[in-house]
Amino acid sequence: MTRPTRPLLPLTAAILLAAASGPVLDAGFPDKGIWPLAFVGAAIFLVCLIGRSVGGALLVGFIGSVSFYLVHVSWVSLYLGPVPWIALSVLESIFFAVGAVLITLAFRWIPRVWNNRFGRLALLPVVVAGLWTAREALVSTWPYGGFAWGRMALSQSESPFAPLVAWVGLSGLSFLMVWLIVLTIQVVREPDALTTFTRIAVPAAAIAAVLAVPAVPFVQSGEATIAAVQGNAKAGYFDDREPGDILAAQASATLDVVGTEVDMVVWPENGSDLNPLTDPQAAGVLDYLASQVGAPILTGTVTERDGEYFNTSLLWVAGTGALDYYDKRHPVPFGEYVPDREFWEPFAPDLIGLVAREYTPGTRDNIFNVNGVIAGISICFDIVDDALTREAVDRGAQVIIAQTNNADFGRTDENQQQLAIARLRAIESSRSVVNISTVGTSQMIAPDGKTLAEIPAYEPGAMVETVPTSNARTPAMLYGAQIEAAVSLFGLGALIVAGLSRPRQNRSPVTPTPTPRRTANRQPA
């Protein structure tokens, strides 16, 4: 029978280290972007879980997670104050804590059932990585569309691991990262006599093998010359401005593009604060600019149809108007709409009351045909949705246009975090990505993740670049969803099998009752 897994750390030490692991993990993400620290932060957290009870794992998991999210999404407080920031961090940490319990049980059960090096060094890292991935997949889609910020893979946009997303997708990269971490932990913990060289060589060989995977070859089908315009207007929800100010700022910055031959001009989300479908002034400005540049304009605006509001991207052609449009598929809950308003409003009526306009989720496809170039359209937080990127590519997108308005988050890390996601989408899909913001930082990103052009934050300007286009689909676009499901289900399935198969131990052994000594009819020895 195997020895029960004992905690590597006392509970107090585990709580303190878990609290410290959150900021370390966050430092692996932009804006600091010290990507190796993502591995260090996760490793500290996982070590704190080994040998814990269910209650201890819940506590350590919650504290480790809340210390991460309070730092990682602190930009939420700039928009709506501390209550939504704390509420979001706590909600995500509840899911994280439940996932921590499953991981703790895996550390306990897997070696009991498979009590050999295969179980400890081969199976356990795969199971723990699968459980981590399953938790990320769940919170990325549920509730209310989920919140995909903070996935392990999102820390690696500029690391040597980034090219792997084209093979396995974001969830697959998270899985590989956690697998490497747990493998390293287990090699160090291995009770048998291993040399120091072996304990170093095994993780090093695993890392080298992962990094040796070549990048997915880029297959170019053509090219497109794109102008992207950042107006640097006062575009925040609470900014003091007059109607038409954002449109005027975007129009002014677009004049620099006149005389340059381009295939399309891209404006950001809310690039026109006047709806050109109903406002003749806005329609006239777009008509004039599109005719002067000689190319369609893709702009974001707010539209209303049948009493419902939509966060919309328009394909505007001079003399024709809106040739096509896409409505944001996943409006941000508690930012662009309030789900179950009647339930949540009593808890924070003042805050819920700030979200006066309810955006309706769109139902249209997320591609535009712009002069023969198929552009996949992403509006702001759409970029974190794996399924929407795959849908655009499946529908023939040759380039991805990511329109956003970061003005509500000022100079916080949010802009850089979102830009990192856009960079990973470029690599994952093998598509050029145009990430254009009202206030920046805006970039054009090549299919290999390299920056082609940039407009600094809070500066008006335009960038013009001829970018490569592609019709090919990467393995991540073809099989990313299946990889996520496979590793998640394997982790959960293996944990269930281990739980049902593990050797049972009596928690309270019963002392045998001594047999009374007989005195009658005793025979002589």
Side-chain angles (χ1 to χ4, degrees), residues 66 69-70 73-91 348 351 354:
V66 82
Y69 278 105
L70 285 175
V73 299
S74 58
W75 40 265
V76 172
S77 64
L78 191 66
Y79 176 26
L80 290 175
V83 173
W85 164 49
I86 294 172
L88 176 61
S89 299
V90 168
L91 175 62
L351 289 171
L354 290 174

Side-chain angles (χ1 to χ4, degrees), residues 221-348:
S221 62
E223 59 184 25
T225 303
I226 301 175
V229 180
Q230 176 178 298
N232 192 36
K234 293 182 178 180
Y237 193 82
F238 298 111
D239 282 342
D240 184 17
R241 62 175 180 269
E242 296 296 324
D245 282 356
I246 301 177
L247 173 63
Q250 286 293 137
S252 177
T254 304
L255 292 175
D256 292 338
V257 181
V258 174
T260 304
E261 187 174 343
V262 298
D263 295 305
M264 67 185 82
V265 178
V266 180
W267 285 10
E269 175 190 23
N270 304 131
S272 177
D273 51 333
L274 301 177
N275 179 8
L277 298 177
T278 58
D279 189 293
Q281 176 188 350
V285 170
L286 289 174
D287 271 341
Y288 173 76
L289 291 171
S291 63
Q292 291 298 303
V293 176
I297 296 177
L298 281 66
T299 184
T301 191
V302 177
T303 61
E304 181 184 1
R305 296 186 297 277
D306 299 324
E308 295 181 324
Y309 290 94
F310 300 88
N311 188 344
T312 302
S313 181
L314 300 175
L315 172 59
W316 194 274
V317 177
T320 302
L323 192 64
D324 200 353
Y325 68 93
Y326 164 69
D327 298 319
K328 186 175 182 179
R329 196 76 62 83
H330 291 159
V332 179
F334 305 102
E336 293 178 304
Y337 79 106
V338 180
D340 301 320
R341 181 182 286 266
E342 295 79 8
F343 175 80
W344 294 110
E345 192 160 23
F347 294 97

Side-chain angles (χ1 to χ4, degrees), residues 35 42 56 72 100 187 190 193-194 206 212 216 224 246 267 269 289 291 321 389 404 476 504:
W35 62 264
H72 193 62
V187 168
E190 181 62 22
L194 293 181
V216 172
I246 301 177
W267 285 10
E269 175 190 23
L289 291 171
S291 63
T389 302
T404 186
R504 296 298 194 270

Side-chain angles (χ1 to χ4, degrees), residues 458-490:
Y458 292 97
E459 292 183 17
M463 48 186 175
V464 179
E465 196 74 28
T466 299
V467 302
T469 61
S470 179
N471 292 319
R473 289 195 289 173
T474 64
M477 292 293 98
L478 290 168
Y479 308 114
Q482 292 88 332
I483 292 172
E484 177 186 86
V487 298
S488 299
L489 291 174
F490 180 85

Side-chain angles (χ1 to χ4, degrees), residues 262-454:
V262 298
D263 295 305
M264 67 185 82
V265 178
V266 180
W267 285 10
E269 175 190 23
N270 304 131
S272 177
D273 51 333
L274 301 177
N275 179 8
L277 298 177
T278 58
D279 189 293
Q281 176 188 350
V285 170
L286 289 174
D287 271 341
Y288 173 76
L289 291 171
S291 63
Q292 291 298 303
V293 176
I297 296 177
L298 281 66
T299 184
T301 191
V302 177
T303 61
E304 181 184 1
R305 296 186 297 277
D306 299 324
E308 295 181 324
Y309 290 94
F310 300 88
N311 188 344
T312 302
S313 181
L314 300 175
L315 172 59
W316 194 274
V317 177
T320 302
L323 192 64
D324 200 353
Y325 68 93
Y326 164 69
D327 298 319
K328 186 175 182 179
R329 196 76 62 83
H330 291 159
V332 179
F334 305 102
E336 293 178 304
Y337 79 106
V338 180
D340 301 320
R341 181 182 286 266
E342 295 79 8
F343 175 80
W344 294 110
E345 192 160 23
F347 294 97
D350 293 338
L351 289 171
I352 297 299
L354 290 174
V355 187
R357 178 182 289 165
E358 295 272 350
Y359 287 99
T360 300
T363 57
R364 295 175 62 86
D365 64 61
N366 56 346
I367 59 168
F368 290 161
N369 187 329
V370 189
N371 286 336
V373 177
I374 308 300
I377 308 301
S378 170
I379 300 178
C380 198
F381 284 8
D382 274 355
I383 198 69
V384 305
D385 191 318
D386 295 356
L388 286 180
T389 302
R390 286 193 293 266
E391 178 184 332
V393 171
D394 287 345
R395 292 179 179 274
Q398 301 165 304
V399 64
I400 295 175
I401 308 298
Q403 300 168 295
T404 186
N405 178 8
N406 303 103
D408 284 317
F409 306 114
R411 297 182 182 274
T412 65
D413 292 351
E414 187 277 340
N415 176 262
Q416 295 301 318
Q417 291 170 6
Q418 187 171 338
L419 188 61
I421 299 171
R423 192 177 312 282
L424 285 168
R425 292 300 185 201
I427 301 169
E428 179 189 38
S429 63
S430 199
R431 299 293 189 274
S432 299
V433 171
V434 179
N435 187 81
I436 183 67
S437 169
T438 50
V439 297
T441 301
S442 297
Q443 287 188 354
M444 289 190 182
I445 304 168
D448 62 359
K450 295 179 181 177
T451 301
L452 299 174
E454 178 178 281

